[in-house]
């Protein structure tokens, strides 16, 4: 039996303090007196609030076994504590300052090699989960961007003359990405990843279908916003699933493959949207993505397994309680005297606490936001560029999004190859100790490729150079964005392993707000500055942010993590 990774425990007395201390005492009457343990404040294990426990008999704990003879085992302040506290899964607490705690009731994994621990699952079982989450993650970005070539047609059908309002019908979906994770991610840390993912995807499919029947601008915007809230779940929880399934050494490849789909989606969506707009109606963009999403939802119902360890341990506790009749069982993740409402409240507030108290989350979130904002500026401005600057039709102009897809593929190939390889190499040099800061060097290519790509894309488009050159520039900055996304996501997951979903949700808030706001000012920016200076401005800002980012993380990332209770839990 272990407590928070420390030494085995036998019978003990609990004293409140900050450091872990084990000792054995010998007296004339007893060969071994109870072991005393000081519980660190950071430990999340369930312990009653009382300060000292006296046991009348030394015994070796039996891990989540049958209910022990509590009358013989525990005596508190001269009175025997025989009945469980109402509403609690742990031992009872009389109204005194002293309470018994028996770690024989602790439900934990059966060793580090326990096959039920998600990180010990076989590779096919892990990759089935990743494939399903990636499919979920692919659907909503496709739906978010499939309208890009259709904005003019939507404006005509729904009588929207203002270009900014037309862009709003596209970017309002991403506003749902901003606020959905703030609720859905912490709920997944209470109820599990699978049920939250399934319920959210059902919400997305229903309201995405409704968008195809919208008769007014208000209906379209409201339905798109709610669909975005539902579609945000895979983006918020996917990184948490990766953290559940993979160790830091193997997480880079998994993150690269997973993060490829939310980036590829915005490139695939406009290609399909261009042909749909030219040969049918923009409404089929919504109906088509719904038709694709429904089988994925059904597959998830049957094959998506729960991966969040605290929820799996809780299920194990419930099962053992039914089998043994032991009502005293508890897990190391349970907290004392916490009602369900309070637990949900704490969980929902956690992303906001991370967003407002964690310097790392704020800085990485701002950088992530800028990358995502640039991506959506290009998504919105691409159709107008190819149709007005190069005279291409809607469908042919949509094919230029293939260059973005090529850039994303290049980025994932580079990041997946170097991410884990570089991490392992630096870990070996650090005496076998891996650190999240080992992800920072991979941000350097982003700081170089992103500005160069924007400069080439902007100035060749400004002077209407052959279409291959702005396409090459777009592919270059798309690859840089992909590499940056992978490095940022992996760094956050490594830094906040227990609350990875909430940490990603906090980071995604700024990212999604940028994706919502940036396209709104893009038409005015390009009209005033042109494609050359407009994209150069974006490139200079990217260089100013991206250049110092990996250096700062390398130098001060560990110090900032050490000061965070969320990063150390």
């Amino acid at each position: 039996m272990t407590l928070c990774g420390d030494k085995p425990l036998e019978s003990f007395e609990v004293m409140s303090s900050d450091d872990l201390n084990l000792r054995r005492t010998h007296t004339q009457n007893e060969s071994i007196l109870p072991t005393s343990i000081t519980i660190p404040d950071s430990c999340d294990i369930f312990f009653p609030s009382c300060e000292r426990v006296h046991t009348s008999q030394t015994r070796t704990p039996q891990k989540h076994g049958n209910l022990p003879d509590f009358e013989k085992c525990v005596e508190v302040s001269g009175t025997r504590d025989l009945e469980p506290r109402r509403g609690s899964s742990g031992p009872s607490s009389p109204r005194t300052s002293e309470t018994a705690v028996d770690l024989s009731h602790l439900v934990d994994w059966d060793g580090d090699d326990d096959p039920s621990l998600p990180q010990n699952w076989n590779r096919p079982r892990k990759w089935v989960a990743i494939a399903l989450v990636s499919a979920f993650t692919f659907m909503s970005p496709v739906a978010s961007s499939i309208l890009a070539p259709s904005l003019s047609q939507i404006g005509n059908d729904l009588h929207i003359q203002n270009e900014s309002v037309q862009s709003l019908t596209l970017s309002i979906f991403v506003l749902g990405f901003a606020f959905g994770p703030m609720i859905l991610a912490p709920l997944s840390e209470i109820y599990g990843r699978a049920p939250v993912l399934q319920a959210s995807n059902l919400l997305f499919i229903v309201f995405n279908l409704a968008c195809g029947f919208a008769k007014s601008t208000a209906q379209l915007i409201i339905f798109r916003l709610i669909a975005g809230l539902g579609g945000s779940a895979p983006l918020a929880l996917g990184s948490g699933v990766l953290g559940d399934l993979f160790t830091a050494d193997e997480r880079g490849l998994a993150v690269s493959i997973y993060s490829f789909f939310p980036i590829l989606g915005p490139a695939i969506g406009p290609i399909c949207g261009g042909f749909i707009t030219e040969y049918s109606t923009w409404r089929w963009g919504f109906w088509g993505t719904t038709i694709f999403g429904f089988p994925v939802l059904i597959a998830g119902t049957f094959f998506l397994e729960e991966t969040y360890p605290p929820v799996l341990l809780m299920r194990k506790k419930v099962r053992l309680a039914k089998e043994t009749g032991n009502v005293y069982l508890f897990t190391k993740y349970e907290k004392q005297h916490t009602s369900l409402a309070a637990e949900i409240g704490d969980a929902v507030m956690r992303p906001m606490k991370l967003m407002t108290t964690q310097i790392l989350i704020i800085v990485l979130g701002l950088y992530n936001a800028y990358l995502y904002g640039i991506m959506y500026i290009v998504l919105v401005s691409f159709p107008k560029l190819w149709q007005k600057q190069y005279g291409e039709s809607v469908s042919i102009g949509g094919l230029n999004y293939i260059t973005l897809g090529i850039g994303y593929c290049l980025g994932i190939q580079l990041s997946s190859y170097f991410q884990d390889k570089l991490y392992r190499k630096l870990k070996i040099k650090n005496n076998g100790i891996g650190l999240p800061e080992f992800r920072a060097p991979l941000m350097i290519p982003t700081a170089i490729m992103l500005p160069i790509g924007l400069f080439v894309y902007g100035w060749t488009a400004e002077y209407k150079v052959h279409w291959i050159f702005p396409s090459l520039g777009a592919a270059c900055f798309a690859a840089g964005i992909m590499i940056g996304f992978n490095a940022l996501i992996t760094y956050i997951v490594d830094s906040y392993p227990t609350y990875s979903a909430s940490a990603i949700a906090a980071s995604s808030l700024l990212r999604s707000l940028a994706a919502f706001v940036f396209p709104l000012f893009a038409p005015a920016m390009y009209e005033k500055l042109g494609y050359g200076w407009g994209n150069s401005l974006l490139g200079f800002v990217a260089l100013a942010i991206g250049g110092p980012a990996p250096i700062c993380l390398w130098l001060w990332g560990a110090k900032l993590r050490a000061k965070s209770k969320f990063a150390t839990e």
Side-chain angles (χ1 to χ4, degrees):
M1 182 62 57
T2 59
L3 172 64
C4 293
D6 288 291
K7 299 179 181 179
L9 302 178
E10 297 179 358
S11 54
F12 52 89
E13 61 178 14
V14 180
M15 299 182 297
S16 58
S17 177
D18 290 333
D19 301 311
L20 188 62
N21 220 349
L22 295 175
R23 70 173 182 270
R24 294 182 180 275
T25 310
H26 296 269
T27 66
Q28 295 176 350
N29 297 327
E30 296 183 54
S31 59
I32 301 179
L33 283 180
T35 304
S36 68
I37 175 172
T38 301
I39 304 300
D41 293 338
S42 62
C43 186
D44 273 343
I45 196 168
F46 176 95
F47 281 106
S49 59
C50 309
E51 298 185 2
R52 189 177 297 274
V53 175
H54 297 288
T55 60
S56 59
Q57 170 181 325
T58 301
R59 56 191 290 276
T60 301
Q62 297 176 358
K63 192 172 186 178
H64 48 67
N66 292 327
L67 183 64
D69 186 351
F70 213 64
E71 182 174 359
K72 295 180 181 179
C73 176
V74 179
E75 185 174 314
V76 181
S77 298
T79 63
R80 292 191 174 101
D81 182 21
L82 300 178
E83 304 206 10
R85 184 189 302 110
R86 181 173 299 178
S88 170
S89 59
S92 62
S93 176
R95 295 181 180 180
T96 70
S97 62
E98 301 182 338
T99 299
V101 179
D102 190 348
L103 284 188
S104 65
H105 306 308
L106 175 64
V107 178
D108 204 347
W109 304 108
D110 298 329
D112 294 337
D113 298 327
D114 188 340
S116 60
L117 183 63
Q119 289 189 353
N120 294 330
W121 291 358
N122 58 46
R123 294 187 69 84
R125 189 178 178 187
K126 290 182 179 181
W127 285 104
V128 166
I130 294 301
L132 287 170
V133 174
S134 297
F136 288 145
T137 309
F138 178 70
M139 289 190 305
S140 53
V142 168
S144 76
S145 61
I146 200 168
L147 287 189
S150 311
L151 293 180
S152 297
Q153 190 182 92
I154 292 173
N156 294 332
D157 288 356
L158 301 182
H159 310 293
I160 306 172
Q161 304 301 323
N162 190 296
E163 286 190 6
S164 295
V165 178
Q166 291 180 13
S167 297
L168 179 63
T169 62
L170 175 75
S171 62
I172 191 67
F173 188 93
V174 190
L175 188 63
F177 284 4
F179 295 104
M182 303 298 285
I183 298 175
L184 300 176
L187 286 180
S188 78
E189 293 168 350
I190 297 176
Y191 297 105
R193 316 289 195 200
V196 175
L197 276 170
Q198 288 294 95
S200 301
N201 284 314
L202 178 61
L203 182 70
F204 159 72
I205 286 176
V206 169
F207 281 92
N208 188 64
L209 178 64
C211 287
F213 297 97
K215 299 298 183 182
S216 67
T217 305
Q219 287 181 358
L220 180 60
I221 289 175
I222 292 173
F223 292 159
R224 286 275 286 172
L225 176 61
I226 299 175
L229 290 171
S232 68
L235 300 174
L237 307 187
S239 299
V241 173
L242 295 175
D244 299 339
L245 292 173
F246 297 95
T247 62
D249 287 355
E250 57 185 2
R251 195 172 290 152
L253 175 61
V255 169
S256 297
I257 294 175
Y258 157 76
S259 58
F260 174 62
F261 288 94
I263 305 300
L264 182 64
I268 297 295
I271 296 174
C272 300
F275 284 94
I276 289 173
T277 300
E278 185 162 342
Y279 297 104
S280 182
T281 170
W282 57 270
R283 298 180 186 276
W284 265 108
F286 296 112
W287 298 336
T289 50
T290 301
I291 292 171
F292 172 77
F294 189 73
V296 177
L297 181 67
I298 298 300
T301 302
F302 291 100
F303 300 110
L304 182 61
E305 298 184 75
E306 183 55 54
T307 64
Y308 192 48
V311 170
L312 293 176
L313 273 183
M314 181 63 69
R315 293 178 182 177
K316 181 178 180 180
K317 184 199 83 168
V318 172
R319 175 175 58 81
L320 289 170
K322 290 181 179 179
E323 293 175 356
T324 65
N326 188 346
V327 296
Y328 296 94
L329 296 178
F330 62 94
T331 74
K332 60 185 179 180
Y333 297 103
E334 291 183 79
K335 294 183 179 180
Q336 174 198 6
H337 302 310
T338 303
S339 65
L340 180 60
E343 190 175 356
I344 293 175
D346 289 343
V348 170
M349 289 301 297
R350 189 179 300 125
M352 190 57 65
K353 289 179 181 178
L354 289 167
M355 187 70 254
T356 54
T357 64
Q358 305 297 296
I359 300 299
L360 281 176
I361 294 293
I362 296 172
V363 172
L364 296 180
L366 288 171
Y367 189 26
N368 205 3
Y370 190 71
L371 295 179
Y372 214 61
I374 290 176
M375 186 180 77
Y376 267 82
I377 282 180
V378 174
L379 290 175
V380 171
S381 63
F382 237 39
K384 186 176 181 180
L385 167 68
W386 299 111
Q387 292 169 33
K388 293 190 174 181
Q389 289 286 96
Y390 289 88
E392 297 177 352
S393 65
V394 175
S395 57
I396 299 301
L399 291 177
N400 289 283
Y401 284 94
I402 294 176
T403 60
L404 294 176
I406 292 174
Y408 298 146
C409 290
L410 177 63
I412 191 175
Q413 290 295 323
L414 292 173
S415 60
S416 61
Y417 177 77
F418 289 106
Q419 182 107 258
D420 289 336
K421 185 175 181 179
L422 183 61
Y423 184 89
R424 294 190 187 105
K425 185 175 181 180
L426 293 173
K427 180 179 177 180
I428 292 173
K429 289 185 176 181
N430 196 39
N431 299 319
I433 300 174
L435 297 173
E437 285 68 39
F438 296 163
R439 311 292 186 183
L442 206 60
M443 298 179 191
I444 297 175
T446 298
I448 299 172
M449 297 173 68
L450 185 58
I452 291 177
L454 286 169
F455 295 153
V456 173
Y457 166 69
W459 287 107
T460 54
E462 177 76 17
Y463 291 103
K464 300 181 182 180
V465 181
H466 189 275
W467 62 267
I468 192 64
F469 292 100
S471 295
L472 289 175
C476 181
F477 74 69
I481 286 176
M482 190 72 204
I483 295 171
F485 276 150
N486 287 342
L488 290 168
I489 290 174
T490 314
Y491 185 94
I492 293 173
V493 173
D494 288 354
S495 298
Y496 300 89
T498 302
Y499 302 117
S500 56
S502 291
I504 292 295
S507 175
S508 298
L509 174 63
L510 291 175
R511 182 186 74 179
S512 300
L513 286 175
F516 168 69
V517 173
F518 277 35
L520 300 181
F521 69 74
M525 180 187 71
Y526 285 128
E527 184 177 348
K528 189 170 185 64
L529 299 178
Y531 287 101
W533 282 113
N535 286 293
S536 294
L537 175 63
L538 298 176
F540 287 131
V541 175
L543 185 61
I545 298 175
I551 300 173
C552 293
L553 286 178
W554 187 267
L555 294 177
W556 299 299
K559 294 179 181 179
L560 292 173
R561 285 188 297 106
K563 296 178 180 179
S564 168
K565 75 168 188 174
F566 294 103
T568 55
E569 286 184 350

